[in-house]
C-alpha cells in the first residue's frame, strides 16, 4: 500500500497541476470518475480480448480519455454524438450502462446493438450516441446530416462529429465541411489526432500536418487543442457550442491526443519509440486531474482510491453481466437490417 502511495505521489508530481483551478470541485471529481471508468473499462476489455472472451476487432481509447470527458461536460444531454470505431468510451462518458457496452463486445443479445454490432458499432439512442462506424470518414457526412436535422427541426441542439487523423484525408470529410459551412450547420467536427492512422504517422500522409488548418479552406473557425488537458477540451467545445447555438455554424477542432496502446489488439506499435510513448504518459490526463484535486484538498488519496475501487467494481459487474447473458438467437440474423425483398441473392 505504502509503495502504491509513493508511486501515485511521484506520478502526481509529474503531472501538470492547475495553479488556479478553472472549474469547480464537482467538475473535477466528475472528470476523474468518468475518465477512470473509461480507462478501467478499456484495460479490462484488453485483458478479455487476450482471453478470447472478446473477438474480432477491438480498438482501445486508453490515453484519449480527456477528448470524450471534456466534450461531454461542455454540452447538454440533448446534443448528438457520432464517432468512428474507437467508440467504447464516448457512450460511457454519456452515461450508457457499462454492462450494455461490455455485452456488445462479447456479442451477447443484451449488448447495446443486440450483440450484432460488436466493438466498432456501439449505439445508444437513450444518450444520443449515433455510433460507432467502421468505415474511415463515413461518419463525417452523417454527422453533418444529423446537424442538418437539428437545424431543420429548430431544436437548438448540435452534433459532435469525432474522427481520427486518418479520416481527414478522405474526400467525404471535405465535402461535409463544405456543406456544413455553406448551410451553417450546428456541428462540431472533432479530429482526435493521436498521431497515427494504424501505423502511418500524420507526417507520412500529407504535406499538411496542422490538421485544424484544413477547415480554413472553407472559412470554418478552426483551432488546435491540447487534448491531454480536459480543461482545454471543455473550453474549446464550449466556445464552438456557443457559436453553433447562435446559428453561426460549424467549428473544426483538432484535439492533439495520443493512444497508449496499438491501433487495435493485433498491433504491437513498432512504428513509434518508447520515449514518445513515455513522454505522453507523463502528461496523462487522469493524473493531471488527480493532481489538481489533491492540490486543492478536494479529496484525499484514500478517497480517490475509493472512487477507483468503485469504478473497478462497476466494470467487474459489467463483465459478469456480459458473461451471464445469452448469445442472440439465430432467428435474429435477419432482424434490424435493411432488406431489399427483390434482391436476387436473398435467401428465403
Ligand atoms: C474507408 C476505409 N479505408 C481503410 C480502412 C482501414 N482502416 C481502419 S482504421 C484505419 C486508420 C484510421 O486512423 P485514424 O483515422 O487516425 O483513427 P484512429 O484509429 O487513430 O482512432 C484504417 C486505414 C477503413 N476502415 N475504411
Ligand atoms: Mg489516428
Amino acid at each position: 500500500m505504502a509503495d502504491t502511495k509513493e508511486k501515485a505521489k511521484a506520478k502526481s508530481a509529474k503531472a501538470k497541476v492547475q495553479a488556479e483551478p478553472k472549474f469547480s470541485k464537482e467538475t473535477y471529481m466528475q472528470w476523474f470518475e468518468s475518465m477512470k471508468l473509461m480507462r478501467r473499462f478499456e484495460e479490462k476489455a484488453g485483458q478479455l480480448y487476450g482471453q478470447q472472451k472478446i473477438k474480432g476487432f477491438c480498438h482501445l481509447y486508453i490515453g484519449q480519455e480527456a477528448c470524450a470527458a471534456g466534450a461531454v461536460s461542455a454540452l447538454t444531454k440533448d446534443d448528438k454524438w457520432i464517432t468512428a470505431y474507437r467508440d467504447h468510451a464516448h457512450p460511457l462518458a454519456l452515461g450508457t450502462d457499462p454492462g450494455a457496452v461490455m455485452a456488445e463486445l462479447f456479442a451477447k443479445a443484451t449488448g447495446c446493438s443486440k450483440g450484432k454490432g460488436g466493438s466498432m458499432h456501439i449505439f445508444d439512442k437513450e444518450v444520443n450516441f449515433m455510433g460507432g462506424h467502421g468505415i474511415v470518414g463515413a461518419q463525417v457526412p452523417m454527422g453533418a446530416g444529423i446537424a442538418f436535422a437539428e437545424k431543420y427541426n429548430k431544436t437548438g441542439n448540435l452534433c459532435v462529429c469525432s474522427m481520427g487523423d486518418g479520416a481527414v484525408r478522405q474526400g467525404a470529410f471535405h465535402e461535409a465541411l463544405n456543406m456544413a459551412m455553406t448551410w451553417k450547420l450546428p456541428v462540431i467536427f472533432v479530429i482526435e489526432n493521436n498521431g497515427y492512422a494504424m501505423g502511418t504517422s500524420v507526417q507520412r500522409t500529407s504535406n499538411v500536418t496542422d490538421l485544424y488548418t484544413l477547415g480554413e479552406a472553407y472559412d470554418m473557425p478552426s483551432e488546435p487543442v491540447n487534448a491531454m488537458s480536459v480543461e482545454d477540451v471543455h473550453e474549446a467545445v464550449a466556445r464552438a457550442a456557443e457559436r453553433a447555438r447562435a446559428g453561426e455554424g460549424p467549428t473544426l477542432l483538432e484535439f492533439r491526443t495520443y493512444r497508449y496502446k496499438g491501433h487495435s489488439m493485433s498491433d504491437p506499435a513498432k512504428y513509434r519509440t518508447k520515449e514518445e510513448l513515455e513522454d505522453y504518459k507523463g502528461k496523462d490526463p487522469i493524473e493531471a486531474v488527480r493532481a489538481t484535486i489533491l492540490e486543492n484538498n478536494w479529496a484525499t488519496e484514500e478517497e480517490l482510491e475509493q472512487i477507483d475501487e468503485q469504478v473497478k467494481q462497476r466494470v467487474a459487474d459489467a463483465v459478469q453481466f456480459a458473461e451471464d447473458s445469452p448469445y442472440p438467437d439465430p432467428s435474429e440474423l435477419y432482424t434490424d437490417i435493411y432488406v431489399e425483398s427483390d434482391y436476387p441473392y436473398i435467401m428465403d
Side-chain angles (χ1 to χ4, degrees), residues 164-166 192 194-197:
D165 42 279
E192 295 192 12
N194 56 18
Y196 298 92

Side-chain angles (χ1 to χ4, degrees), residues 65-205:
E65 293 89 350
C67 300
V72 168
S73 61
L75 298 176
T76 73
K77 68 173 184 36
D78 293 323
D79 291 321
K80 308 291 185 289
W81 298 78
I82 190 164
T83 190
Y85 45 80
R86 200 175 295 285
D87 64 343
H88 312 160
H90 297 83
L92 292 178
L94 289 165
T96 299
D97 175 7
V101 183
M102 192 60 85
E104 191 57 42
L105 302 189
F106 274 63
K108 297 292 183 83
T110 52
C112 51
S113 303
K114 301 188 186 174
K116 297 189 283 184
S119 164
M120 301 202 290
H121 305 105
I122 306 292
F123 282 78
D124 187 2
K125 210 173 134 195
E126 293 298 309
V127 301
N128 293 316
F129 183 65
M130 311 300 184
H133 297 271
I135 304 300
V136 170
Q139 80 281 15
V140 186
M142 284 195 264
I146 293 166
F148 180 91
E150 298 298 332
K151 182 168 178 150
Y152 187 81
N153 291 322
K154 299 187 172 65
T155 61
N157 304 325
L158 56 84
C159 178
V160 178
C161 175
S162 305
M163 69 203 83
D165 42 279
V168 307
R169 311 307 183 190
Q170 291 282 43
F173 166 82
H174 295 271
E175 293 174 44
L177 258 63
N178 186 51
M179 293 318 301
M181 197 59 200
T182 306
W183 290 335
K184 301 286 179 290
L185 301 181
V187 52
I188 306 176
F189 294 109
V190 169
I191 306 164
E192 295 192 12
N193 179 3
N194 56 18
Y196 298 92
M198 300 183 86
T200 306
S201 69
V202 169
Q203 288 73 17
R204 286 179 62 207
T205 58

